[in-house]
């Protein structure tokens, strides 16, 4: 009898659980799409491609330090000024820390806070070996502009400037001040460029309406059960740290090894780091991302996410397994990247050293991750960090008017895209601007194939010219929506 009662109770609870979870999933409705009077501009894509090609031909490789000869950046700025005459005519040019530059286009309404459009002038080096075209030739071929920086990120800079050039040519004048902020060392963390620009603006008493920089991505929704494209807007950046793990042991000749060796102990430590991954957790940006995507998902995904609070213990590990991308979103990742022992094969080294590269999730820090690694490997392993470690950035506001307008603009120009915030897993100059606004957004308005995206920092980097025109339309529309 008691068994029967327990059975019925369990059955009733199961029915209740299923009804509640299904009801919650059914309550997730797609947001209404607002009517838009958007009429796309005609863009002369070949003319924009020529401008990008010329920009690629100027070899603005990041300087090793700010004392090195950076005259190439002046050459680059003269070029930019020559191909965007209307912007140049209307702009005040401010050089910051020698090579970083602000072009300020003053708006007619001083009560509006300025918008900052970011891009970096510098590019990573390119060895011509293995390239189909000269990496600094700017060759236009088969609908692409080839060369280093054609994607990362001279394309975005050219599109952003061209968008305003077109409006100014049409005789339109912005009401809101627009600041083009172009650093010169993003590829080396932006400390001489973006950081100094933001300090300069802060010292000048400037507050910003919003910042837009590279980052974000356009994804095929299939991996998340969505039959549309997803435009992800980066609302924060993961932190970064390189941890050096060091094991010291008596060295000597390899013919008479000690019971434990430095290399063996280092290997064990690295194995432990790999095995004891950091726990996944929900952060503000991941919660917001899934909340924005859930209405568009197929039923099983929707069911899972509508009940995220109840199903969390299952959902978190599942998302870590689904794909490397969702794994990166959910947790701090730890990747062993280097290991070093003796310099000759028959020597026991006195010291073995390895590096673990960490991308740190919102809510954790360089220090807390170090504490996790130390606990995992034990006290006999010394841990230090390399220069350049940085905590995760603050998280941008997605309830702002600026975010709403960015979302609207993406929806208009890239019709049918679903827009969602997300934690950007790489780095950009944008992280240096949180002193000026909470509305810091990262979005690269160029759809690209995975194959083309993999060319960034690699061989045969190239920019699709049709997408370059689409990106130009994006910036033009963003100015119309937020600055005119
Ligand atoms: Zn970049």
């Amino acid at each position: 009898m008691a068994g029967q009662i327990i059975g019925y109770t369990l059955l009733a609870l199961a029915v209740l659980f299923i009804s509640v979870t299904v009801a919650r999933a059914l309550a997730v409705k797609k947001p209404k799409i607002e009517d838009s009077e958007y009429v796309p501009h005609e863009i002369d894509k070949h003319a924009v491609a020529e401008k990008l090609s010329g920009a690629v031909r100027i070899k603005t490789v990041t300087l090793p330090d700010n004392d090195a000869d950076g005259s190439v950046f002046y050459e680059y700025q003269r070029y930019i000024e020559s191909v965007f005459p209307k912007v140049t005519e209307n702009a005040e040019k401010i050089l910051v820390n020698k090579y970083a530059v602000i072009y300020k286009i003053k708006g007619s309404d001083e009560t509006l806070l300025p918008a900052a459009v970011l891009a970096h002038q510098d590019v990573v080096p390119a060895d011509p070996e293995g390239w189909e075209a000269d990496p600094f030739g700017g060759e236009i071929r088969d609908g692409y502009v080839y060369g280093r920086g054609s994607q990362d990120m001279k394309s975005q800079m050219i599109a952003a400037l061209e968008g305003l050039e077109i409006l100014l040519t049409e005789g339109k004048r912005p009401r809101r001040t627009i600041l083009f902020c172009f650093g010169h060392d993003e590829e080396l963390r932006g400390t001489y460029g973006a950081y100094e620009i933001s300090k300069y603006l802060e010292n000048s008493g400037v507050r910003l309406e919003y910042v837009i920089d590279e980052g974000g991505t356009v994804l095929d929704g299939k991996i998340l059960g969505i039959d549309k494209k997803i435009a992800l807007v980066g609302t924060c950046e993961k932190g970064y740290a390189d941890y050096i793990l060091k094991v010291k042991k008596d060295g000597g000749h390899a013919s008479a090894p000690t019971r434990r060796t430095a290399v063996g102990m280092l290997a064990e430590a690295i194995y432990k780091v790999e095995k004891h991954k950091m726990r996944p957790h929900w952060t503000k940006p991941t919660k917001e991302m899934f909340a924005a995507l859930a209405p568009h998902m197929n039923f099983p995904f929707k069911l899972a996410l509508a009940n995220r609070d109840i199903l969390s213990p299952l959902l978190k590990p599942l998302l870590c397994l689904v794909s490397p991308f969702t794994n990166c979103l959910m947790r701090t990742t730890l990747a062993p990247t280097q290991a070093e022992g003796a310099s000759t094969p028959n020597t026991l080294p006195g010291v073995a050293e390895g590096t673990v590269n960490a991308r740190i999730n919102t809510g954790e820090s360089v220090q807390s991750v170090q504490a996790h690694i130390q606990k995992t490997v034990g006290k006999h392993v010394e841990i230090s960090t390399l220069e350049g470690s940085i905590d995760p950035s603050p998280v941008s506001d997605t309830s702002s008017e600026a975010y709403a307008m960015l979302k609207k603009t993406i929806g208009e120009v890239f019709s049918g895209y679903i827009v969602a915030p997300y934690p950007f897993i790489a780095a950009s100059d944008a992280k240096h601007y949180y002193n000026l606004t909470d509305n810091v957004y990262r979005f690269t308005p160029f759809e690209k194939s995975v194959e083309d995206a993999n060319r960034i920092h690699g061989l045969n980097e190239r920019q699709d010219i049709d997408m370059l025109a689409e990106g130009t339309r994006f910036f033009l529309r963003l100015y119309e929506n937020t600055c005119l």
Side-chain angles (χ1 to χ4, degrees):
M1 190 63 187
Q4 235 174 9
I5 292 170
I6 292 171
Y8 282 128
T9 312
L10 286 178
L11 184 66
L13 283 173
V15 170
L16 182 68
F17 178 77
I18 292 168
S19 329
V20 169
T21 51
V22 170
R24 290 173 95 189
L26 290 173
V28 177
K29 292 271 184 317
K30 281 189 192 178
K32 277 216 184 76
I33 296 170
E34 279 176 49
D35 289 340
S36 156
E37 74 290 14
Y38 173 59
V39 183
H41 264 70
E42 278 297 317
I43 306 284
D44 180 351
K45 63 177 185 179
H46 299 291
V48 197
E50 284 296 342
K51 291 182 187 184
L52 175 58
S53 161
V56 168
R57 285 200 292 273
I58 302 168
K59 209 171 166 180
T60 50
V61 174
T62 323
L63 300 175
D65 64 74
N66 226 42
D67 293 328
D69 175 14
S71 49
V72 70
F73 288 96
Y74 297 142
E75 187 193 335
Y76 183 76
Q77 289 160 19
R78 280 195 299 274
Y79 171 76
I80 290 294
E81 290 153 25
S82 73
V83 292
F84 298 106
K86 285 282 173 196
V87 171
T88 307
E89 191 188 308
N90 286 279
E92 179 192 346
K93 179 180 181 180
I94 305 156
L95 281 174
V96 178
N97 202 17
K98 295 209 278 194
Y99 308 118
V101 64
I102 303 171
Y103 292 103
K104 175 181 177 180
I105 292 83
K106 205 161 180 281
S108 56
D109 185 345
E110 292 200 16
T111 63
L112 299 175
L113 295 179
V117 179
L118 272 49
H120 57 85
Q121 307 170 69
D122 62 314
V123 299
V124 294
D127 179 349
E129 174 90 28
W131 278 70
E132 293 161 19
D134 176 356
F136 294 98
E139 192 180 325
I140 299 176
R141 190 208 293 174
D142 311 325
Y144 291 92
V145 178
Y146 276 79
R148 178 60 79 229
S150 59
Q151 281 193 66
D152 183 12
M153 67 173 289
K154 289 177 175 174
S155 48
Q156 187 151 343
M157 185 188 292
I158 297 291
L161 289 163
E162 181 73 7
L164 188 62
E165 183 77 8
I166 292 171
L167 289 171
L168 292 172
T169 307
E170 288 174 355
K172 307 215 169 89
R173 289 288 174 275
R175 285 170 54 223
R176 186 188 299 285
T177 295
I178 299 173
L179 302 170
F180 289 108
C181 302
F182 301 152
H184 63 290
D185 67 333
E186 190 277 339
E187 301 296 356
L188 287 175
R189 300 193 298 275
T191 42
Y192 296 120
Y195 175 77
E196 291 295 333
I197 292 179
S198 86
K199 278 280 155 294
Y200 166 83
L201 292 173
E202 185 182 333
N203 293 338
S204 314
V206 173
R207 293 286 304 164
L208 297 173
E209 176 65 16
Y210 68 84
V211 166
I212 176 121
D213 192 11
E214 64 176 337
T217 185
V218 176
L219 275 185
D220 192 329
K222 279 196 198 82
I223 63 163
L224 293 166
I226 296 174
D227 59 1
K228 290 203 171 109
K229 296 250 169 70
I230 305 171
L232 295 175
V233 174
T235 51
C236 67
E237 272 167 50
K238 289 182 101 173
Y240 180 107
D242 291 306
Y243 298 99
I244 306 299
L245 274 52
K246 196 185 268 186
V247 180
K248 290 181 185 157
K249 254 331 218 165
D250 289 338
H253 200 275
S255 59
T258 43
R259 195 181 64 81
R260 296 301 314 267
T261 63
V263 170
M265 289 164 76
L266 176 70
E268 186 186 25
I270 287 178
Y271 171 73
K272 282 182 178 166
V273 168
E274 226 174 41
K275 200 157 171 250
H276 297 275
K277 297 193 182 343
M278 297 212 54
R279 281 225 192 111
H281 60 89
W282 299 107
T283 59
K284 180 174 179 267
T286 46
K287 283 184 201 164
E288 288 182 343
M289 173 183 168
F290 288 114
L293 295 178
H296 307 277
M297 291 175 158
N298 61 28
F299 195 75
F301 274 94
K302 203 189 279 186
L303 182 80
L305 287 167
N307 297 286
R308 185 175 54 75
D309 45 356
I310 314 173
L311 301 177
S312 208
L314 285 174
L315 214 48
K316 283 192 286 187
L318 192 69
L319 282 165
C320 292
L321 287 174
V322 169
S323 74
F325 175 68
T326 45
N327 180 48
C328 295
L329 298 183
M330 295 303 295
R331 59 155 55 118
T332 293
T333 55
L334 300 173
T337 52
Q338 292 174 305
E340 199 178 11
S343 54
T344 49
N346 60 351
T347 306
L348 291 176
V351 178
E353 240 181 55
T355 313
V356 174
N357 178 266
R359 304 305 171 104
I360 305 165
N361 213 359
T362 302
E364 284 155 0
S365 66
V366 175
Q367 221 180 1
S368 70
V369 173
Q370 179 163 343
H372 164 89
I373 299 175
Q374 189 77 70
K375 201 171 151 220
T376 306
V377 299
K379 286 219 172 64
H380 60 283
V381 182
E382 276 175 36
I383 303 179
S384 56
T385 50
L386 282 183
E387 202 202 324
S389 302
I390 184 164
D391 285 334
S393 79
V395 179
S396 312
D397 186 4
T398 51
S399 61
S400 65
E401 170 74 8
Y403 182 80
M405 293 314 273
L406 174 61
K407 190 175 160 190
K408 175 178 179 221
T409 306
I410 297 171
E412 286 176 334
V413 179
F414 303 96
S415 126
Y417 280 23
I418 296 163
V419 183
Y422 93 120
F424 183 47
I425 56 173
S428 76
D429 276 340
K431 63 177 165 290
H432 296 299
Y433 285 76
Y434 282 93
N435 54 334
L436 305 172
T437 177
D438 293 333
N439 305 333
V440 175
Y441 308 115
R442 301 158 188 81
F443 183 62
T444 298
F446 308 117
E447 197 187 332
K448 51 191 81 171
S449 65
V450 175
E451 200 241 321
D452 275 352
N454 286 337
R455 295 169 184 238
I456 296 174
H457 289 204
L459 293 177
N460 299 309
E461 182 179 347
R462 63 181 190 179
Q463 172 64 46
D464 181 314
I465 292 173
D466 288 322
M467 284 303 124
L468 186 64
E470 206 69 341
T472 303
R473 264 184 217 110
F474 164 78
F475 278 105
L476 196 158
R477 186 60 179 163
L478 185 66
Y479 306 140
E480 283 183 333
N481 282 337
T482 62
C483 300
L484 289 194

